[in-house]
Amino acid sequence: MKKKIDNILHQLDSYPLPDKAKILAASPIVPAETEEHRKLLTPVRRRLGPAKLAALAMAALLLVAGGVTVVAEEAKAYGEAIDFFEEYNLSAEGFSRSEIKKIYRDIVSESFTYEKTEEALASGLEGYEIQAKPLDSDGLKRLWMVGYVWGVEDQQQSGEAGVEYGFVQVYNPQTREHYGQLFKIKGDQQIWCKRLDDLYIYDARAVGDKIMVAGNLLEKGVATQTVRVCLLDSESDVIWQKDYNSRMHQPGVNYILYDEGNCTLFTASNDRMWILTIDMEGNLVSERYAEYDARGEWIKKVVPMGDGYLMLKGDRLMQEKDGKVQSTVTFGSGDDYYEITDMVEFNGLVYLSGRIVPSIHYESGKWSKGLYGLYQEQFGEKTPSAEEQLQFMKDHHTAVLLVCDPDSGEPQRFYTIPGASGSQLSVKGKQLDWLVNRYVGAEMNANETYYISTGYLATIKADIWRYAFNPYGQVVGEKDTGSSIEFEG
Amino acid sequence: MNSFKQARIDKQADKALCNLSQGDMSGLSAIYDLYGRLILSVAYIIVGNFTDAEDVLQDVMLLLARYAKRYKAGNSPRAYVMSITRHTAINLIKKRKTELSTDEIGDIPARDGKLASVEVQDLLAQLTEEERQIVTLHIYAGLSHRQVAKMLEISTSAAEKKYQRALKKLKKHYES
């Protein structure tokens, strides 16, 4: 598939490159190509080293000696192995011919028991670097077949203390089977792993000690119109599994919302959203369709609001009302732009967490103000120091907790903390917890340089604080959690 | 592109950027030769037509000339240039959106311009904006998931996950 996509994308190469002189004319004075430049662009031709010459000589000798068939078979097997290594971006460097062939056979037979296999996979297998090492053969197999093992973002916090769920999608090219896998994890331990055949899992939600999984039903690996929902108990047994016809092309379950004893699934195709509510036995409670532009990011959180729902799409708010899903009235106010990261319902109101950044103005053909404009204004072509970048972010980022008007969905400021970003929100009993990243330090990136408009050159360190609010909106706690995060500014 | 060829180009680009950072403008010409095609195509994926993509290419060369001093020798010139390309292309889209309306940020304003082949358009139509960037930057531009993640300001595991999902989406599309 990767090769096919690569081939299609390379069709872009057929479009002629614009005239170099014209393009560079806009840049500061560019002299004619120099000798140095020509040298720079001349490919280096490598001479055969003694080892390769010796190998060629040996091959020639073997051929002469009559081992033609054996050598040809060996060369074919080696060629296949090398093609395989190249296709999957694995490095063959440091391995002998025999080792390369063994690794190849070990992977395609899915045994993953050869001692050198992990070393080879480490060189090119995406996701390897984030795994706890060393991996056993099962771990390697899963990583190879799935491409990645559960990520934190896929983990759903359950009602049980310290228990999380994760899911992955598996395609076995040998058997051509597609299935989803659901994991129950406690700390670093996997409690169980459940295979769900012909299901492309899109979302899972912990509902007390049970977990609801929803996705697309696959027929011979091909997506259907059917959305399949399963409810599993805490021991991975399927309590029930039901199929629902979405009447949409390639429906994608964006989000499962558990609210007042029912679950509502928000499923989107390109231009419609299907809002299906079922009870905990899987019986249909209600369903409706809404106009919806699915372009851009998926819905990552939903809370009920009035007769409809408020949805977080990327860092923007959408409201479902009267059969339409559309942007809420505002993403900010005046000179401020709100970047929303989380939302939660608390005491009948919807709270939003995020940060305020200067908004972008476009005046008389030039960018001005906005974070980018301010950055240019302050630093120009100079590379700011880590401290200057930290100060810039402190000056222009404000953590904000917003509360939505229950009718219009319009967010209003509730609490702000300068020099910080608002992060996760959660409700614990009668208390709203708000995590805030307070910027405390910065360090220039030593290994990689990125051009980013707002402090991309430094890694910003932030301490995570927890603010607690009671149902009356009063701050009842303000505490450094002792944890910190680092991110690119 | 095989990884050896890519590594060779990146090495040349690293040197060209270093030259450029020291005021040798021939480095810019070399960068155009090495990455011009890549910049144009990645810009196309984001802005959706070649007319705008050419504008992005021109702006990127201008920015490279201006900010080459920020590049540090031995880093990934490919990621550096792709980061500027992405940033510039997104700015162009934002600019167009601002010209149209401040409320319709979710929409992509249409603009006449030369388009890629039907097959490319069909592929792009299956993906969200973010997925297009992730798939293109990883498969076409040859960036690692970690580099893509940094560029999109998401975690590496999120970039990997989104990439896998996009691929599976495309797989389903082509199989059906």
Side-chain angles (χ1 to χ4, degrees), chain A residues 11 13 18 126 376 447 449, chain B residues 32 37 67 75 117 138 140:
Chain A
Q11 289 176 15
D13 298 351
E126 291 150 4
Q376 294 302 325
N447 301 321
T449 310
Chain B
Y32 183 88
R37 159 69 52 208
Y67 296 112
N75 287 331
S117 68
H138 182 62
Y140 180 83

Side-chain angles (χ1 to χ4, degrees), chain A residues 11 13 15 18 20 26 29 36-37 40 126 148 154 167 169 296 376 445 447-449 451 488, chain B residues 12 15 25 29 32-33 37 54 62 67 70 72 75 83 117 119 128 138 140 146 161 164-165:
Chain A
Q11 289 176 15
D13 298 351
Y15 186 82
K20 183 160 87 170
I29 308 154
E36 177 67 8
H37 174 207
L40 200 61
E126 291 150 4
Y148 62 96
D154 272 344
F167 57 86
Q169 204 58 33
Q376 294 302 325
N445 294 334
N447 301 321
E448 285 185 74
T449 310
Y451 168 88
E488 302 297 325
Chain B
Q12 291 169 351
K15 196 171 177 192
M25 296 303 290
S29 177
Y32 183 88
D33 293 337
R37 159 69 52 208
E54 284 181 8
L62 186 67
Y67 296 112
R70 290 182 179 176
K72 287 178 191 150
N75 287 331
S83 177
S117 68
E119 218 174 336
T128 64
H138 182 62
Y140 180 83
R146 187 169 163 267
K161 187 187 77 179
Q164 294 294 344
R165 288 209 166 168

Side-chain angles (χ1 to χ4, degrees), chain A residues 227-398:
Chain A
V227 166
R228 171 166 285 181
V229 183
C230 314
L231 187 72
L232 288 87
D233 66 17
S234 58
E235 301 304 317
S236 84
D237 293 323
V238 176
I239 301 169
W240 55 258
Q241 172 179 294
K242 291 192 179 177
D243 294 341
Y244 307 86
N245 188 348
S246 71
R247 299 187 286 281
M248 296 196 300
H249 178 61
Q250 296 192 344
V253 183
N254 276 223
Y255 194 81
I256 303 171
L257 171 72
Y258 177 66
D259 183 48
E260 293 180 354
N262 291 329
C263 276
T264 302
L265 279 67
F266 297 83
T267 305
S269 63
N270 285 340
D271 55 359
R272 280 199 301 169
M273 176 171 277
W274 179 43
I275 301 170
L276 169 78
T277 302
I278 53 176
D279 64 20
M280 295 311 289
E281 272 76 50
N283 302 311
L284 179 74
V285 175
S286 69
E287 65 172 326
R288 66 174 184 267
Y289 290 88
E291 285 175 34
Y292 173 63
D293 182 353
R295 286 181 295 180
E297 294 190 59
W298 277 34
I299 301 292
K300 62 180 187 189
K301 203 143 191 187
V302 181
V303 292
M305 164 150 300
D307 296 333
Y309 298 93
L310 198 60
M311 304 168 175
L312 186 57
K313 189 181 190 207
D315 66 0
R316 297 196 297 272
L317 282 179
M318 313 288 284
Q319 194 173 8
E320 190 275 329
K321 204 176 178 184
D322 305 326
K324 279 187 180 176
V325 180
Q326 51 196 8
S327 302
T328 56
V329 181
T330 178
F331 301 119
S333 68
D335 289 336
D336 298 331
Y337 181 89
Y338 299 150
E339 290 176 350
I340 308 297
T341 51
D342 199 9
M343 66 177 182
V344 76
E345 189 189 5
F346 175 60
N347 202 31
L349 292 170
V350 176
Y351 288 83
L352 309 167
S353 164
R355 70 183 178 197
I356 304 169
V357 297
S359 65
I360 297 163
H361 295 277
Y362 184 70
E363 291 163 1
S364 57
K366 282 186 178 177
W367 287 95
S368 61
K369 304 294 178 190
L371 218 47
Y372 178 71
L374 289 168
Y375 189 84
Q376 294 302 325
E377 204 175 275
Q378 191 165 333
F379 302 116
E381 293 178 20
K382 176 191 157 206
T383 301
S385 68
E387 291 71 27
E388 285 173 319
Q389 290 180 66
L390 174 65
Q391 194 54 50
F392 179 83
M393 288 185 66
K394 278 184 167 180
D395 291 344
H396 299 296
H397 283 182
T398 301

